[in-house]
Protein backbone atom coordinates (compact mmCIF):
# COMPACT_ATOMS: atom_id res chain seq x y z
CA UNK A 1 0.00 0.00 0.00
CA UNK A 2 1.38 3.38 -0.91
CA UNK A 3 1.73 5.95 1.80
CA UNK A 4 -0.13 9.21 1.32
CA UNK A 5 1.67 11.74 -0.84
CA UNK A 6 3.01 14.88 0.81
CA UNK A 7 1.62 18.28 -0.23
CA UNK A 8 4.31 19.05 -2.81
CA UNK A 9 4.37 15.46 -4.09
CA UNK A 10 0.60 15.67 -4.54
CA UNK A 11 0.88 19.01 -6.38
CA UNK A 12 3.44 17.48 -8.77
CA UNK A 13 1.49 14.24 -9.26
CA UNK A 14 -1.72 16.20 -9.87
CA UNK A 15 -0.09 17.79 -12.89
CA UNK A 16 1.37 14.52 -14.14
CA UNK A 17 -2.05 12.85 -13.82
CA UNK A 18 -3.97 15.75 -15.35
CA UNK A 19 -1.66 16.21 -18.31
CA UNK A 20 -1.55 12.44 -18.94
CA UNK A 21 1.62 12.64 -21.01
CA UNK A 22 5.36 12.62 -20.37
CA UNK A 23 6.37 15.85 -18.60
CA UNK A 24 9.62 17.58 -17.77
CA UNK A 25 10.69 19.17 -14.50
CA UNK A 26 10.64 22.55 -16.29
CA UNK A 27 6.97 22.14 -17.32
CA UNK A 28 5.92 21.21 -13.81
CA UNK A 29 8.02 24.04 -12.35
CA UNK A 30 6.47 26.67 -14.62
CA UNK A 31 2.96 25.51 -13.73
CA UNK A 32 3.69 25.37 -9.99
CA UNK A 33 5.21 28.86 -10.10
CA UNK A 34 1.79 30.24 -11.02
CA UNK A 35 0.70 29.33 -7.46
CA UNK A 36 3.88 29.57 -5.37
CA UNK A 37 7.51 30.54 -5.38
CA UNK A 38 9.51 27.37 -5.89
CA UNK A 39 12.99 26.49 -7.16
CA UNK A 40 13.81 24.24 -10.09
CA UNK A 41 16.00 22.06 -7.85
CA UNK A 42 13.10 21.54 -5.42
CA UNK A 43 10.80 20.27 -8.19
CA UNK A 44 13.63 18.14 -9.61
CA UNK A 45 14.22 16.57 -6.18
CA UNK A 46 10.50 15.87 -5.68
CA UNK A 47 10.21 14.27 -9.11
CA UNK A 48 13.32 12.18 -8.48
CA UNK A 49 11.86 11.09 -5.14
CA UNK A 50 8.58 10.16 -6.86
CA UNK A 51 10.60 8.10 -9.33
CA UNK A 52 12.50 6.36 -6.52
CA UNK A 53 9.19 5.59 -4.77
CA UNK A 54 7.72 4.10 -7.96
CA UNK A 55 5.06 6.75 -8.63
CA UNK A 56 6.55 7.81 -11.97
CA UNK A 57 8.82 6.29 -14.59
CA UNK A 58 11.26 8.41 -16.50
CA UNK A 59 12.98 8.37 -19.85
CA UNK A 60 15.95 10.41 -20.98
CA UNK A 61 15.09 13.16 -23.47
CA UNK A 62 18.26 15.01 -24.43
CA UNK A 63 19.73 16.38 -21.20
CA UNK A 64 16.50 16.04 -19.24
CA UNK A 65 14.06 13.38 -18.16
CA UNK A 66 10.42 13.03 -19.14
CA UNK A 67 8.27 11.64 -16.36
CA UNK A 68 5.08 9.57 -16.75
CA UNK A 69 2.69 8.37 -14.03
CA UNK A 70 2.85 4.66 -13.25
CA UNK A 71 -0.82 4.48 -12.23
CA UNK A 72 -3.89 6.70 -12.13
CA UNK A 73 -5.10 9.07 -9.45
CA UNK A 74 -8.18 6.84 -9.12
CA UNK A 75 -5.99 3.83 -8.33
CA UNK A 76 -4.04 5.90 -5.77
CA UNK A 77 -7.27 7.07 -4.11
CA UNK A 78 -8.67 3.55 -4.05
CA UNK A 79 -5.49 2.21 -2.43
CA UNK A 80 -5.65 4.88 0.27
CA UNK A 81 -9.31 4.11 0.99
CA UNK A 82 -8.60 0.38 1.12
CA UNK A 83 -5.69 0.89 3.50
CA UNK A 84 -7.72 3.10 5.83
CA UNK A 85 -10.62 0.64 5.81
CA UNK A 86 -8.43 -2.39 6.42
CA UNK A 87 -6.87 -0.75 9.50
CA UNK A 88 -10.25 -0.42 11.19
CA UNK A 89 -11.02 -2.75 14.07
CA UNK A 90 -14.66 -2.72 12.87
CA UNK A 91 -14.70 -2.49 9.05
CA UNK A 92 -18.50 -2.58 8.82
CA UNK A 93 -18.86 0.37 11.21
CA UNK A 94 -16.14 2.24 9.33
CA UNK A 95 -18.04 1.76 6.07
CA UNK A 96 -21.31 2.92 7.63
CA UNK A 97 -19.57 6.04 8.96
CA UNK A 98 -17.89 6.64 5.58
CA UNK A 99 -21.17 6.27 3.68
CA UNK A 100 -22.79 8.67 6.15
CA UNK A 101 -20.21 11.32 5.22
CA UNK A 102 -20.90 11.02 1.48
CA UNK A 103 -22.69 13.70 -0.48
CA UNK A 104 -25.63 12.78 -2.70
CA UNK A 105 -23.31 12.92 -5.73
CA UNK A 106 -20.82 10.59 -4.07
CA UNK A 107 -23.57 8.11 -3.16
CA UNK A 108 -24.74 8.15 -6.78
CA UNK A 109 -21.15 7.53 -7.93
CA UNK A 110 -20.99 4.61 -5.48
CA UNK A 111 -24.22 3.16 -6.90
CA UNK A 112 -22.82 3.52 -10.43
CA UNK A 113 -19.58 1.81 -9.38
CA UNK A 114 -21.48 -1.06 -7.74
CA UNK A 115 -23.48 -1.62 -10.92
CA UNK A 116 -20.19 -1.93 -12.80
CA UNK A 117 -18.50 -4.40 -10.45
CA UNK A 118 -21.50 -6.53 -9.44
CA UNK A 119 -22.86 -9.10 -11.86
CA UNK A 120 -26.47 -8.90 -12.97
CA UNK A 121 -28.42 -10.38 -10.05
CA UNK A 122 -31.61 -10.87 -12.08
CA UNK A 123 -30.83 -14.57 -12.49
CA UNK A 124 -30.32 -14.42 -16.23
CA UNK A 125 -27.20 -16.00 -17.62
CA UNK A 126 -24.94 -14.15 -20.00
CA UNK A 127 -25.58 -15.28 -23.59
CA UNK A 128 -22.41 -17.42 -23.74
CA UNK A 129 -22.59 -18.75 -20.19
CA UNK A 130 -24.55 -21.73 -18.82
CA UNK A 131 -27.17 -20.75 -16.22
CA UNK A 132 -25.40 -22.50 -13.33
CA UNK A 133 -22.11 -20.69 -13.95
CA UNK A 134 -23.89 -17.34 -14.17
CA UNK A 135 -25.31 -17.92 -10.72
CA UNK A 136 -21.88 -18.76 -9.34
CA UNK A 137 -22.47 -22.53 -9.31
CA UNK A 138 -19.92 -25.00 -10.65
CA UNK A 139 -20.70 -26.25 -14.15
CA UNK A 140 -20.88 -29.87 -12.92
CA UNK A 141 -23.68 -29.04 -10.48
CA UNK A 142 -21.60 -29.97 -7.41
CA UNK A 143 -21.84 -27.80 -4.34
CA UNK A 144 -19.03 -25.20 -4.16
CA UNK A 145 -17.46 -26.84 -1.08
CA UNK A 146 -18.01 -30.45 -2.15
CA UNK A 147 -14.99 -32.67 -1.62
CA UNK A 148 -13.14 -30.25 0.64
Amino acid sequence: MPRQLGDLEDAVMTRVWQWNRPVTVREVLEDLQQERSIAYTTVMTVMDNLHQKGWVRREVDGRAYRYTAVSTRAAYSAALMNEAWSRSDNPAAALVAFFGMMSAEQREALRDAMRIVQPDRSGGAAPDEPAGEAAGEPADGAAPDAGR
Side-chain angles (χ1 to χ4, degrees):
M1 159 56 200
R3 75 169 177 82
Q4 187 168 354
L5 295 171
D7 289 340
L8 190 50
E9 290 174 328
D10 186 67
V12 168
M13 285 305 300
T14 294
R15 282 144 180 89
V16 175
W17 281 319
Q18 284 176 344
W19 296 339
N20 196 29
R21 62 172 172 78
V23 301
T24 64
V25 171
R26 176 76 51 204
E27 291 173 305
V28 174
L29 170 72
E30 289 172 358
D31 200 60
L32 284 171
Q33 284 178 332
Q34 295 177 25
E35 300 171 359
R36 63 178 93 187
S37 177
I38 191 167
Y40 179 91
T41 53
T42 301
V43 177
M44 182 177 66
T45 299
V46 169
M47 293 186 81
D48 184 60
N49 289 343
L50 289 167
H51 175 257
Q52 297 299 322
K53 293 176 181 180
W55 288 103
V56 294
R57 70 179 55 91
R58 66 185 180 193
E59 294 181 11
V60 176
D61 183 15
R63 293 179 23 173
Y65 287 113
R66 288 206 173 265
Y67 294 84
T68 308
V70 170
S71 68
T72 64
R73 180 169 211 105
Y76 165 69
S77 297
L80 289 178
M81 289 187 291
N82 186 56
E83 174 68 12
W85 181 54
S86 68
R87 288 184 181 206
S88 174
D89 60 347
N90 187 340
L95 282 175
V96 168
F98 179 64
F99 296 155
M101 295 177 198
M102 291 178 143
S103 67
E105 294 81 19
Q106 290 170 323
R107 285 191 301 275
E108 184 60 31
L110 176 62
R111 281 190 285 276
D112 291 343
M114 292 301 293
R115 282 191 286 272
I116 292 168
V117 298
Q118 283 187 330
D120 179 10
R121 303 262 183 211
S122 66
D128 60 344
E129 191 173 34
E133 291 180 41
E137 299 168 7
D140 64 4
D145 293 326
R148 286 189 200 167

